[in-house]
Coordinates of all heavy atoms in Angstrom, one line a residue:
L189 N 0.9 -1.2 0.0 CA 0.0 0.0 0.0 C 0.9 1.2 0.0 O 2.0 1.2 0.5 CB -0.9 0.0 1.2 CG -2.2 -0.8 1.3 CD1 -2.8 -0.7 2.6 CD2 -3.1 -0.4 0.2
R190 N 0.3 2.3 -0.5 CA 1.1 3.6 -0.5 C 0.2 4.6 0.1 O -0.9 4.9 -0.3 CB 1.4 4.0 -1.9 CG 2.2 5.3 -2.0 CD 2.6 5.6 -3.5 NE 3.3 6.8 -3.7 CZ 4.6 6.9 -3.6 NH1 5.4 5.8 -3.3 NH2 5.2 8.1 -3.8
L191 N 0.7 5.2 1.2 CA 0.0 6.3 1.9 C 0.6 7.6 1.5 O 1.8 7.7 1.3 CB 0.2 6.1 3.4 CG -0.2 4.8 4.0 CD1 -0.1 4.8 5.6 CD2 -1.7 4.4 3.7
S192 N -0.2 8.6 1.4 CA 0.2 10.0 1.1 C -0.4 10.9 2.2 O -1.4 10.6 2.8 CB -0.2 10.4 -0.3 OG 0.3 9.6 -1.3
C193 N 0.3 12.0 2.4 CA -0.1 13.0 3.3 C 0.2 14.4 2.7 O 1.3 14.7 2.3 CB 0.6 12.9 4.6 SG 0.3 14.3 5.8
R194 N -0.9 15.1 2.5 CA -0.7 16.5 1.9 C -0.8 17.5 3.0 O -1.8 17.5 3.7 CB -1.8 16.7 0.8 CG -1.6 18.0 0.1 CD -2.5 18.0 -1.2 NE -2.1 17.0 -2.1 CZ -3.0 16.3 -2.8 NH1 -4.3 16.4 -2.6 NH2 -2.5 15.4 -3.7
A195 N 0.1 18.4 3.0 CA 0.1 19.5 4.0 C -0.3 20.8 3.4 O 0.0 21.1 2.2 CB 1.5 19.6 4.6
S196 N -0.9 21.6 4.2 CA -1.2 23.0 3.8 C -1.1 23.9 5.0 O -1.2 23.4 6.2 CB -2.6 23.0 3.2 OG -3.6 22.6 4.1
G197 N -1.0 25.2 4.8 CA -0.9 26.1 5.9 C 0.4 26.2 6.5 O 0.6 26.9 7.6
L198 N 1.5 25.6 5.9 CA 2.8 25.8 6.4 C 3.8 25.8 5.3 O 3.4 25.4 4.1 CB 3.1 24.6 7.4 CG 2.8 23.1 7.0 CD1 3.8 22.6 5.9 CD2 2.9 22.2 8.2
T199 N 5.0 26.2 5.5 CA 6.1 26.1 4.5 C 6.7 24.7 4.6 O 7.6 24.4 5.4 CB 7.2 27.2 4.8 OG1 6.5 28.5 4.8 CG2 8.2 27.2 3.7
F200 N 6.2 23.9 3.8 CA 6.4 22.4 3.9 C 7.9 22.1 4.0 O 8.3 21.2 4.8 CB 5.8 21.7 2.7 CG 5.8 20.2 2.8 CD1 5.1 19.5 3.7 CD2 6.7 19.5 1.9 CE1 5.1 18.2 3.7 CE2 6.7 18.2 1.9 CZ 5.9 17.5 2.8
S201 N 8.7 22.7 3.2 CA 10.1 22.4 3.1 C 10.9 22.7 4.4 O 12.0 22.3 4.6 CB 10.8 23.1 1.9 OG 10.7 24.5 2.1
N202 N 10.2 23.5 5.3 CA 10.9 23.8 6.6 C 10.5 22.8 7.7 O 10.9 23.0 8.8 CB 10.4 25.2 7.0 CG 11.0 26.3 6.2 OD1 12.0 26.1 5.4 ND2 10.5 27.5 6.3
Y203 N 9.8 21.8 7.3 CA 9.3 20.8 8.3 C 9.8 19.4 8.1 O 9.9 18.9 6.9 CB 7.8 20.8 8.3 CG 7.1 21.9 9.0 CD1 7.1 23.2 8.4 CD2 6.6 21.8 10.2 CE1 6.5 24.3 9.1 CE2 6.0 22.9 10.9 CZ 6.0 24.1 10.3 OH 5.4 25.2 11.0
A204 N 10.2 18.8 9.2 CA 10.4 17.3 9.1 C 9.0 16.6 9.2 O 8.1 17.2 9.9 CB 11.3 16.9 10.3
M205 N 8.9 15.5 8.6 CA 7.6 14.8 8.5 C 7.8 13.4 9.1 O 8.8 12.7 8.8 CB 7.1 14.7 7.1 CG 6.9 16.1 6.4 SD 5.7 17.1 7.3 CE 4.2 16.1 7.1
G206 N 6.8 13.0 9.8 CA 6.9 11.6 10.3 C 5.6 10.8 10.1 O 4.5 11.4 9.8
W207 N 5.7 9.5 10.1 CA 4.6 8.6 10.1 C 4.6 7.8 11.4 O 5.6 7.3 11.8 CB 4.6 7.7 8.9 CG 4.3 8.3 7.6 CD1 5.1 8.8 6.6 CD2 3.0 8.5 7.0 NE1 4.4 9.3 5.6 CE2 3.1 9.1 5.8 CE3 1.7 8.2 7.5 CZ2 2.0 9.5 5.0 CZ3 0.6 8.6 6.7 CH2 0.8 9.2 5.4
F208 N 3.4 7.7 12.0 CA 3.2 7.0 13.2 C 2.0 6.1 12.9 O 1.2 6.3 12.0 CB 2.9 7.9 14.4 CG 4.2 8.6 14.9 CD1 4.6 9.7 14.1 CD2 4.8 8.2 16.0 CE1 5.8 10.4 14.5 CE2 5.9 8.9 16.5 CZ 6.4 10.0 15.7
R209 N 1.8 5.0 13.8 CA 0.7 4.2 13.7 C 0.2 3.8 15.1 O 1.0 3.8 16.0 CB 0.9 2.9 12.8 CG 2.0 2.0 13.4 CD 2.3 0.9 12.5 NE 3.3 -0.1 13.0 CZ 3.9 -1.0 12.3 NH1 3.6 -1.2 11.0 NH2 4.7 -1.8 12.9
Q210 N -1.1 3.5 15.1 CA -1.7 3.2 16.4 C -2.7 2.1 16.2 O -3.7 2.3 15.5 CB -2.4 4.4 17.1 CG -2.9 4.1 18.5 CD -3.3 5.4 19.2 OE1 -3.5 6.4 18.6 NE2 -3.4 5.3 20.5
A211 N -2.4 0.9 16.8 CA -3.4 -0.2 16.7 C -4.3 -0.1 17.9 O -4.0 0.5 18.9 CB -2.6 -1.5 16.8
P212 N -5.5 -0.7 17.8 CA -6.4 -0.7 18.9 C -5.8 -1.2 20.2 O -5.2 -2.2 20.3 CB -7.6 -1.6 18.5 CG -7.5 -1.6 17.0 CD -6.0 -1.5 16.7
G213 N -6.0 -0.4 21.3 CA -5.5 -0.8 22.6 C -4.0 -0.6 22.8 O -3.5 -0.9 23.8
K214 N -3.3 0.0 21.8 CA -1.9 0.2 21.9 C -1.5 1.7 21.8 O -2.3 2.5 21.3 CB -1.2 -0.6 20.8 CG -1.3 -2.1 21.0 CD -0.4 -2.8 20.0 CE -0.4 -4.3 20.3 NZ 0.5 -5.1 19.4
E215 N -0.3 2.0 22.2 CA 0.1 3.4 22.0 C 0.5 3.7 20.6 O 0.9 2.8 19.8 CB 1.3 3.7 23.0 CG 0.9 3.6 24.5 CD 2.0 4.2 25.3 OE1 3.1 4.4 24.8 OE2 1.7 4.4 26.5
R216 N 0.5 5.0 20.3 CA 0.9 5.4 18.9 C 2.4 5.2 18.9 O 3.2 5.7 19.7 CB 0.5 6.9 18.7 CG 0.7 7.3 17.3 CD 0.0 8.7 17.1 NE -1.4 8.6 17.3 CZ -2.3 9.6 17.1 NH1 -1.8 10.7 16.6 NH2 -3.5 9.5 17.4
E217 N 2.9 4.6 17.8 CA 4.3 4.3 17.7 C 4.9 4.8 16.4 O 4.2 5.0 15.4 CB 4.5 2.7 17.7 CG 3.9 2.0 16.6 CD 4.3 0.5 16.6 OE1 4.9 0.0 17.5 OE2 4.0 -0.2 15.6
F218 N 6.2 5.1 16.5 CA 6.9 5.7 15.3 C 7.0 4.6 14.2 O 7.3 3.4 14.5 CB 8.3 6.1 15.8 CG 9.3 6.4 14.7 CD1 9.1 7.6 14.1 CD2 10.3 5.6 14.4 CE1 10.0 8.0 13.1 CE2 11.2 5.9 13.4 CZ 11.1 7.1 12.7
V219 N 6.9 5.1 13.0 CA 7.1 4.2 11.8 C 8.3 4.7 11.0 O 9.2 4.0 10.7 CB 5.8 4.2 11.0 CG1 6.1 3.4 9.7 CG2 4.7 3.6 11.8
A220 N 8.2 6.0 10.6 CA 9.3 6.5 9.7 C 9.3 8.0 9.8 O 8.3 8.6 10.1 CB 9.1 6.1 8.3
A221 N 10.4 8.6 9.5 CA 10.5 10.1 9.4 C 11.5 10.5 8.4 O 12.4 9.7 8.0 CB 10.9 10.7 10.8
I222 N 11.3 11.7 7.9 CA 12.2 12.3 6.9 C 12.5 13.7 7.2 O 11.6 14.5 7.6 CB 11.5 12.1 5.5 CG1 12.5 12.5 4.4 CG2 10.2 12.9 5.4 CD1 12.0 12.1 3.0
G223 N 13.8 14.1 7.0 CA 14.2 15.5 7.1 C 13.9 16.3 5.9 O 12.9 16.0 5.2
W224 N 14.7 17.2 5.6 CA 14.4 18.0 4.4 C 14.4 17.3 3.1 O 13.7 17.5 2.2 CB 15.5 19.2 4.3 CG 15.2 20.2 3.3 CD1 14.3 21.2 3.4 CD2 15.7 20.2 1.9 NE1 14.3 21.9 2.1 CE2 15.1 21.3 1.2 CE3 16.5 19.3 1.2 CZ2 15.4 21.6 -0.1 CZ3 16.8 19.6 -0.1 CH2 16.2 20.8 -0.7
S225 N 15.3 16.3 3.1 CA 15.4 15.5 1.8 C 15.5 14.0 2.1 O 15.6 13.6 3.3 CB 16.6 15.9 1.0 OG 17.8 15.4 1.6
E226 N 15.5 13.2 1.1 CA 15.6 11.8 1.2 C 17.0 11.3 1.6 O 17.2 10.1 1.8 CB 15.1 11.1 0.0 CG 13.6 11.3 -0.2 CD 13.0 11.1 -1.5 OE1 13.7 10.4 -2.4 OE2 11.9 11.5 -1.8
D227 N 17.9 12.2 1.8 CA 19.2 11.8 2.4 C 19.0 11.6 3.9 O 20.0 11.1 4.6 CB 20.2 12.9 2.2 CG 20.6 13.0 0.7 OD1 20.5 11.9 0.0 OD2 21.1 14.0 0.2
S228 N 17.9 12.1 4.5 CA 17.7 12.0 5.9 C 16.4 11.2 6.2 O 15.4 11.9 6.3 CB 17.7 13.4 6.6 OG 18.9 14.1 6.3
T229 N 16.5 9.9 6.2 CA 15.3 9.1 6.5 C 15.6 8.2 7.7 O 16.7 7.8 7.8 CB 14.9 8.3 5.3 OG1 16.0 7.5 4.8 CG2 14.4 9.2 4.1
Y230 N 14.5 7.9 8.4 CA 14.7 7.1 9.6 C 13.5 6.2 9.7 O 12.4 6.5 9.4 CB 14.7 8.0 10.9 CG 15.7 9.2 10.7 CD1 15.3 10.4 10.1 CD2 17.1 9.0 11.0 CE1 16.2 11.4 9.9 CE2 18.0 10.1 10.7 CZ 17.5 11.2 10.2 OH 18.4 12.3 9.9
Y231 N 13.8 5.0 10.2 CA 12.7 3.9 10.3 C 12.7 3.2 11.6 O 13.8 3.0 12.2 CB 12.9 2.9 9.1 CG 12.8 3.5 7.7 CD1 14.0 4.0 7.1 CD2 11.6 3.7 7.1 CE1 13.9 4.5 5.8 CE2 11.5 4.2 5.9 CZ 12.6 4.7 5.2 OH 12.5 5.2 4.0
A232 N 11.6 2.7 12.0 CA 11.5 1.8 13.1 C 12.1 0.5 12.6 O 12.0 0.1 11.4 CB 10.0 1.6 13.5
D233 N 12.7 -0.2 13.5 CA 13.3 -1.5 13.1 C 12.2 -2.5 12.5 O 12.6 -3.3 11.7 CB 13.9 -2.2 14.4 CG 15.2 -1.5 14.8 OD1 15.7 -0.7 14.0 OD2 15.6 -1.7 16.0
S234 N 11.0 -2.4 13.0 CA 10.0 -3.3 12.5 C 9.6 -3.1 11.1 O 9.0 -4.0 10.5 CB 8.7 -3.1 13.4 OG 8.2 -1.8 13.3
V235 N 9.9 -2.0 10.5 CA 9.5 -1.7 9.1 C 10.7 -1.5 8.2 O 10.6 -1.4 7.0 CB 8.6 -0.5 9.0 CG1 7.4 -0.7 9.9 CG2 9.3 0.8 9.3

């Protein structure tokens, strides 16, 4: 699957973006994040 997230109301290039997920009954957990460019990407070990 491919998820997308469109941002508005901010200067997008000035923001780091992250993806998190939350299963029923569990805490929201980190999945992935990206800095200004794809040279700076970070992932949870599980993904």
Side-chain angles (χ1 to χ4, degrees):
L189 281 175
R190 183 177 178 86
L191 305 183
S192 298
C193 171
R194 183 168 297 137
S196 60
L198 50 72
T199 303
F200 185 71
S201 59
N202 290 346
Y203 283 74
M205 301 298 296
W207 285 98
F208 289 74
R209 65 187 180 188
Q210 188 168 18
K214 294 189 176 182
E215 292 193 350
R216 193 170 298 188
E217 65 175 6
F218 170 75
V219 175
I222 186 167
W224 186 85
S225 74
E226 290 163 15
D227 290 335
S228 301
T229 57
Y230 312 91
Y231 297 94
D233 288 344
S234 59
V235 307

